Amino acid sequence: MSDTNITTEQLQEWDKRYVWHPFTQMQDWEREEPIVIVRGEGSWLIDSEGRRYLDGVASMWTNVHGHCRKELNEALKAQVDRLEHSTLLGLASEQSILLARRLAGITPPGLDRFFYSDNGSTAMEVAVKMAFQYQVHRGRPERTRFITFKNAYHGDTLGTVSVGGIDIYHATFRPLLFETIQAPAPYCYRCEHGCASPAVCGMQCLSALEALMEEHGPACAGLVIEPLVQGAGGMLVQPPGFLRGVRELCDRYGLLMIADEVATGFGRTGRMFACEHENVVPDIMAISKGIAAGYLPLAVTVTNDQVYNAFRGDYAELKTFFHGHTFTGNPLACAVALKSLELFERDNLLETLQTRIIRLAERLARLTQLPHVGDIRQCGLAAGIELVEDKSTRRPYPWELKTGIRVCLEARRHGVFSRPLGNTVVVFPPLAITEDELELLMDGLERSIVAVTGE
Ligand SMILES: *Cc1c(COP(=O)(O)O)cnc(C)c1O
């Protein structure tokens, strides 16, 4: 496949010998024959044997316009011949300026101060530190705590694990973490209240949140939330009005609202940013995954003048935000991000996306008939299909059975790559996937669910 004579077997062997994969039990991995991807083409990934797979998870939720999109490739090539990297510590650089200005035109009103970093975890780590230091500067040093949600995921660094709420990932590290005040997750099926409907659950969770704020509000710097949908928690969709309610409570109790739009940003929910669905303007917003269309690592923590100005002062006041990453504002990534935003417009992506969102909803509705499909949750062009051992009681498959993983392994035989979240099968294709490809993707997943759960 590539221009060397290295065989697939050699690549697989060297992978197992040298590469430690993320979120992966390597003992299982070493027993399998890993697929080695060597090329990408639109919604397709192509392996070293020439087999094609639909990219059902948009390469970890990043891909927007498809793989190797000509215009993006050209923007990257043009930039690399001008400047590959220059630091933002002590220097400004062209592409980071142009991108920030461009982003200011699409982020919620008032959010036009852009602090660059290079991945979702750092964007959120920055958000948390920024909120904390902001409270110090405005004379509220007692506001040290954060309100977080159950099932939340904000990244894998220690600060972001602290504000996370997925025990299977996070519990091991508890002795290293700072404590937060955890509010119940605004999703019926998981909230343990046994609510009658998601709307009731939303109200219950808001009341619980209000009670927490009443008690702890004055000690809190901010609240951290994934707007509209908790992604890694299992595509847990919040009922309408919830996000707005959270915004109102943050205002009433003086907490900064930190919206983690790392997964939801850049069109995934059907609008450019999830907060737009509820006309919510957070105080701090983290964006990353889709920002550079899945090409390069890039992230931004965006905030308003009020937060920004609290950090201004005489040098000796030490109000400086002492935080920064080496590859901050990388020109290659920024150039691709700029071109990606141009393509959003040129392709009318947010409009054409709507028919694919409807098509996905239709395909998901069909799955409700299947005997082992429990809850199905969709938010824009993202969905989670929960597999259950017993549909009437919603009893989940024991996690040791790896049902979700087995469905995704089966899907490969149908030319589909997906990766589950526990027993939830994830649908998260490139935004630019064609309707035909979306049908193929759903055909493959449906067949695989039937095959594995029918055993
Ligand atoms: C993926 C994700 C992150 C972490 O981003 P990384 O680039 O993997 O560090 C943070 N928040 C949310 C909501 C995410 O989905």
Side-chain angles (χ1 to χ4, degrees), residues 276-328:
E276 292 173 29
H277 289 270
E278 305 234 328
N279 276 319
V280 159
V281 181
D283 300 292
I284 302 177
M285 185 168 107
I287 50 181
S288 181
K289 286 190 169 106
I291 187 172
Y295 268 58
L296 286 161
L298 181 66
V300 193
T301 308
V302 197
T303 192
N304 54 32
D305 280 349
Q306 190 185 328
V307 172
Y308 175 83
N309 285 332
F311 286 76
R312 297 178 70 242
D314 286 335
Y315 185 73
E317 287 182 83
L318 288 178
K319 285 186 170 178
T320 305
F321 189 40
F322 289 109
H323 188 112
H325 297 279
T326 307
F327 278 97
T328 280

Side-chain angles (χ1 to χ4, degrees), residues 83-133:
L83 173 67
E84 78 303 329
H85 185 64
S86 163
T87 184
L88 294 195
L89 282 76
L91 289 170
S93 92
E94 183 190 25
Q95 297 300 321
S96 64
I97 298 167
L98 296 177
L99 178 60
R101 181 164 175 271
R102 184 76 204 265
L103 287 169
I106 60 168
T107 46
L111 292 183
D112 50 17
R113 299 288 181 172
F114 297 86
F115 190 95
Y116 282 104
S117 63
D118 43 40
N119 64 72
S121 303
T122 56
M124 281 305 296
E125 194 85 26
V126 165
V128 166
K129 286 176 73 178
M130 194 182 267
F132 182 92
Q133 192 175 338

